[in-house]
Amino acid sequence: MKVSYEEIGQVLVTCPAAETVTEGGMVKMGEDGKTAPCGDGERFCGQAVSVAGDGFAAVQVRGFATVVCTDAAVKPGWVSLAGDGKGGVKKASAAGGEALVMEADGKRAVLFL
């Protein structure tokens, strides 16, 4: 990545988290009220910035975030994105949400959530 967007406009929410939530992974809100890993093609609510051993996670729901993105179809601009089922994001085919992609290099992407 060429420019650092780290923490610009960052808004974090502390949420109860499923045991399977990992730091840096994209998450959704589960039906049980806990954040859960975002499945393939599912709309995400944010990125788990940190996961505590007490069952809570700090989830970034707004601001610039660097995320795993190996989908070469993701280019800078407004893009509909969804979870890739492996903690990252990909171009959405149906249920995604629009995000502003600032940079994408085939490994990572910088998004404004």
Side-chain angles (χ1 to χ4, degrees):
M1 303 292 153
K2 299 172 189 153
V3 176
S4 175
Y5 297 95
E6 289 182 48
E7 299 179 16
I8 298 173
Q10 186 179 61
V11 176
L12 299 175
V13 177
T14 302
C15 301
E19 290 181 15
T20 52
V21 171
T22 58
E23 201 167 290
M26 303 308 285
V27 294
K28 64 180 182 179
M29 286 306 298
E31 291 180 11
D32 61 357
K34 294 181 178 180
T35 57
C38 199
D40 187 25
E42 292 182 324
R43 187 167 181 173
F44 53 85
C45 69
Q47 181 184 42
V49 174
S50 66
V51 180
D54 62 358
F56 287 87
V59 177
Q60 182 177 350
V61 295
R62 189 88 172 138
F64 287 98
T66 301
V67 302
V68 173
C69 180
T70 58
D71 184 348
V74 175
K75 305 286 184 199
W78 287 101
V79 182
S80 183
L81 298 172
D84 67 3
K86 299 177 266 184
V89 300
K90 68 178 187 176
K91 195 165 186 180
S93 57
E98 198 168 56
L100 177 60
V101 177
M102 299 299 291
E103 296 181 23
D105 64 9
K107 296 176 189 167
R108 301 199 177 282
V110 177
L111 315 177
F112 186 77
L113 302 174

